[in-house]
Amino acid sequence: SAAERELNEPSLKIEHLYSGCTGISVWFHGPDLYCACVGDSRAVLGRSIPSGPGGKEKFKAIGLSYDQKPTRPDERKRIRAAGGRIARWRRNLGPLRVWIPRDWIPGLAMTRSIGDTILTEYGVIPVPEISYIRLAQYDSFVVLASDGVWEFMTSEEVIEFVGNLKKNGTDATEAADCLVREAVRRWRRQEEVVDDTTAIVVYLDGDSLTKSTGASASSSKPGFMSLLGFGGAIGDKAQLVTPTGALQPFTIKNDVGGSN
């Protein structure tokens, strides 16, 4: 792939054998929204749920990406078919990770990566999954964030959190800041260290679909957020864009027991 060619360009001197990153990207083309995902960063659409007179406005999370982790049956199948090993550290500590067949390295907690090329021959690839959705009247905003934001917050919690901020007049930049602070607060309540928590919030303005964007990060490590795009058709939920450009159903289950 182009990503692999860039990583292996000698003049760039990129240390990619044991280093890598995720990528989450969205592209707006009129009412059409495309999302590209590599790894376990995530994009979620916030849809306003109309309420009756005097009712409280609520928001629904519409998943745009599906975390690529060893817990996903389709991703696990590819890794094992290539000879990779999936296990918890010493078989009982932490999340499922990807290892080379006969050693406890590198222990990658995702199944696709831009980098981490020691695992390339064992099925860890930089090829993104592309999804498509046509935006509707009540689609209110999009949140893109690194995995640290989602560790202790579900997609629905994040959408309700940002939706309430938008409803109260908070701009997109401050909403991204508030989201990162909340994610960090939850990390510190549960752990001694805090993972990279980077977020982008994009406000959508109804029928015109004009956009207001804000970004925030909790650490000096830059988040990998960019723009990428393909083509599609209409639907209430995101659909998967196949390598041939066709659309097919995309069942997104990022949160345990959920569909976001």
Side-chain angles (χ1 to χ4, degrees), residues 57-248:
E57 183 182 16
K58 295 185 178 181
F59 297 90
K60 179 181 179 181
I62 307 294
L64 301 175
S65 64
Y66 190 178
D67 300 354
Q68 296 151 1
K69 296 181 177 181
T71 50
R72 266 182 65 171
D74 54 342
E75 292 289 297
R76 184 166 63 241
K77 181 178 179 181
R78 187 188 67 252
I79 298 296
R80 287 177 171 164
R85 185 165 56 94
I86 293 175
R88 292 180 171 82
W89 170 245
R90 299 300 184 189
R91 304 202 180 279
N92 60 3
L93 294 177
L96 289 173
R97 297 178 181 274
V98 184
W99 315 84
I100 63 173
R102 287 174 292 279
D103 204 348
W104 290 98
I105 57 172
L108 187 65
M110 55 192 186
T111 52
R112 302 192 192 203
S113 172
I114 304 170
D116 295 296
T117 52
I118 190 174
L119 290 170
T120 298
E121 67 177 297
Y122 301 114
V124 173
I125 56 177
V127 179
E129 281 185 312
I130 310 295
S131 70
Y132 165 81
I133 192 169
R134 174 157 289 183
L135 296 171
Q137 177 184 358
Y138 295 107
D139 291 336
S140 183
F141 56 91
V142 174
V143 177
L144 303 92
S146 61
D147 63 302
V149 169
W150 311 104
E151 184 72 19
F152 299 109
M153 299 183 76
T154 66
S155 292
E156 194 62 52
E157 286 178 311
V158 166
I159 292 306
E160 282 290 342
F161 184 87
V162 173
N164 287 331
L165 290 171
K166 183 182 181 185
K167 187 169 55 178
N168 292 329
T170 305
D171 66 28
T173 299
E174 180 60 23
D177 246 351
C178 290
L179 175 59
V180 165
R181 288 198 296 269
E182 176 64 16
V184 169
R185 185 186 70 83
R186 297 193 187 199
W187 267 96
R188 288 177 174 158
R189 193 170 60 190
Q190 301 284 339
E191 305 280 352
E192 293 183 3
V193 297
V194 178
D195 199 0
D196 179 54
T197 49
T198 302
I200 291 176
V201 173
V202 183
Y203 283 173
L204 307 175
D205 185 18
D207 294 334
S208 65
L209 295 179
T210 56
K211 291 166 282 296
S212 174
T213 305
S216 182
S218 69
S219 76
S220 58
K221 297 186 293 183
F224 185 88
M225 305 292 181
S226 60
L227 297 177
L228 190 62
F230 282 73
I234 197 162
D236 184 54
K237 295 183 178 181
Q239 295 173 282
L240 185 68
V241 181
T242 70
T244 63
L247 292 173
Q248 65 182 40

